Amino acid sequence: MNANTDFRMPARRLTATAAATVLAAGPMVLAGAGSAHASADHGRASAVVLRTGLDVSLLNKTVNVPLAVSLNEVRAPQSAERTALTARLDGVDGGQPFSVLRADVASAKATVSASGAEASTNLTHARIHVPGLPLLSLIEVGQVTSKATCEAGRKPAASATLLGGVTVLGKKVTLTVGGPTEVKVPGVGEVRIDFSKTRTTSRTAAASALELHVSVNPLKLNVADVEGTLTLGSVTCESPSAAPASAPASAPASVSAPDIKPQGAPAKSGLAETGGTSTTPFVVGAAVVLLAAGGAAVALGRRHRS
């Protein structure tokens, strides 16, 4: 009796150890097969209806006053719509506010998402003034729009359009895309205009509907010279960055994998038909080990009796 027990105990221990190893390996394999997720950058976008960078010199030539203002400058995800912009400069017209821009429509919009980034502006029936010229518009436009689109996996695009007439310092002009248009008015000054300036790279796009280089000497309201730049309808965007390659993902634990069969299994396995899951091979393996170990224990017992 004791001899039979001595032979059966190792067999039982072997059986329990093998079964525990197989069953424990199942959850470990499943836990190590999870996919590695990385959050992708959604890109960037910005838009502004009007931006000025002007230096205003007073008549005494001892003071230069910067005029740096913007209307509806937004960064994704934002939008804005205002139709007027005023500014106040010390030493100009007694410090009273003056109108820089008035328009029927002046809107800017910038959005980003996982699929891409986009920015746009729209300016309709607009008049722009600079210090020293309260009655004469620097420029009047019918409608200018700009748009920059940066979609994931596609080449970025930028565009600017001009509809209606354009008047600069009281003179009607025709703008061309090929190069700058210069307007000179004796006793007032000159303006050089670039229309529809766009640039793109593999991931970015930018557009300016109108860029004005201003040099006027109005000699009014204590203003001697106005020099600098003025931009209408400026937009930029950047495509989302590509996400790092993720580790191969296995089928979820609750979903069967009918195309993957245990080694040595018959070609027509009924695991999927009977509701088998990804843990089924481990359960079957444990049963095989238990059966083999049990058979070995029985054989050893019979040999001892004989």
Side-chain angles (χ1 to χ4, degrees), residues 14-38:
L14 175 63
T15 301
T17 303
T21 302
V22 174
L23 293 176
M28 290 175 63
V29 173
L30 292 177
S35 59
H37 297 282

Side-chain angles (χ1 to χ4, degrees), residues 1 48 56 64 81 95 104 115 135 165-166 191-192 196 225-226 250 257 262 303:
M1 186 69 180
V48 59
V56 181
N64 289 322
E81 183 168 355
D104 290 349
S115 61
L135 302 179
V166 177
V191 179
R192 188 175 79 250
S196 186
D225 297 292
V226 179
S250 65
R303 285 181 184 180

Side-chain angles (χ1 to χ4, degrees), residues 2-139:
N2 291 337
N4 291 341
T5 303
D6 292 339
F7 279 99
R8 283 196 290 268
M9 285 300 293
R12 290 173 181 172
R13 289 174 183 172
L14 175 63
T15 301
T17 303
T21 302
V22 174
L23 293 176
M28 290 175 63
V29 173
L30 292 177
S35 59
H37 297 282
S39 59
D41 177 17
H42 283 184
R44 296 170 179 81
S46 65
V48 59
V49 170
L50 169 69
R51 181 184 293 117
T52 67
L54 301 173
D55 288 325
V56 181
S57 175
L58 303 186
L59 283 177
N60 55 22
K61 296 290 186 178
T62 60
V63 179
N64 289 322
V65 183
L67 176 60
V69 295
S70 62
L71 178 68
N72 293 350
E73 185 166 6
V74 297
R75 296 184 183 276
Q78 290 182 353
S79 62
E81 183 168 355
R82 291 172 52 199
T83 58
L85 173 65
T86 61
R88 187 192 304 267
L89 293 178
D90 293 337
V92 177
D93 195 20
Q96 297 297 316
F98 63 92
S99 172
V100 179
L101 179 144
R102 290 189 180 277
D104 290 349
V105 176
S107 63
K109 184 177 182 180
T111 60
V112 294
S113 66
S115 61
E118 183 176 289
S120 61
T121 66
N122 181 19
L123 184 63
T124 303
H125 297 145
R127 290 180 172 86
I128 298 173
H129 293 267
V130 296
L133 296 176
L135 302 179
L136 181 63
S137 299
L138 177 70
I139 185 172

